[in-house]
Amino acid sequence: SSVSGGLYNIASGIASAVNGGNHNIASGSSSAMNGGHNNEASRYASAVNGGWYNRASGWSSAVNGGSNNTASGDDSAVNGGRYNAASGPGSAVNGGKYNAASGKYSTVIGGKGKIASQENSVV
């Protein structure tokens, strides 16, 4: 595990890394944190790339920027925006605000307050 720069960062997972930022935690094995503030990557191969108060807690999940976003489904992703959640396996939220992708392989394409709850749904 390694911490490269920043302040008050923790890389506690096996082969995890934090690269800059502050108050970030990479606790999952092979997890990565790249900048930002108060972010956490807590499962295997999870990653947070910048932003504030983001959480990647699913296996191979990612949050790419934005704030207060959560990728909790395995292989899920949130790409920017605020207060978005990707909880279904293989789900994604691409920007916007207050969106949720809870169905398996579901996608929300931006906007505000949208929910993709059915398998393979796109809203």
Side-chain angles (χ1 to χ4, degrees):
S1 300
S2 69
V3 174
S4 302
L7 297 170
Y8 309 111
N9 294 311
I10 299 170
S12 60
I14 296 169
S16 63
V18 177
N19 302 304
N22 61 77
H23 295 93
N24 295 309
I25 300 171
S27 58
S29 297
S30 301
S31 62
M33 181 70 53
N34 297 300
H37 172 75
N38 205 339
N39 297 307
E40 183 174 7
S42 61
R43 293 292 298 274
Y44 176 80
S46 61
V48 175
N49 299 302
W52 299 270
Y53 302 100
N54 294 312
R55 302 285 177 267
S57 58
W59 281 55
S60 298
S61 63
V63 176
N64 300 303
S67 67
N68 300 94
N69 296 311
T70 303
S72 59
D74 293 348
D75 304 310
S76 65
V78 175
N79 300 303
R82 294 171 47 192
Y83 303 101
N84 296 309
S87 59
S91 64
V93 176
N94 297 305
K97 187 175 181 181
Y98 302 116
N99 296 310
S102 56
K104 185 186 276 188
Y105 309 116
S106 62
T107 303
V108 174
I109 304 172
K112 181 179 178 183
K114 294 182 178 180
I115 299 172
S117 58
Q118 301 298 313
E119 185 172 346
N120 295 314
S121 60
V122 179
V123 295

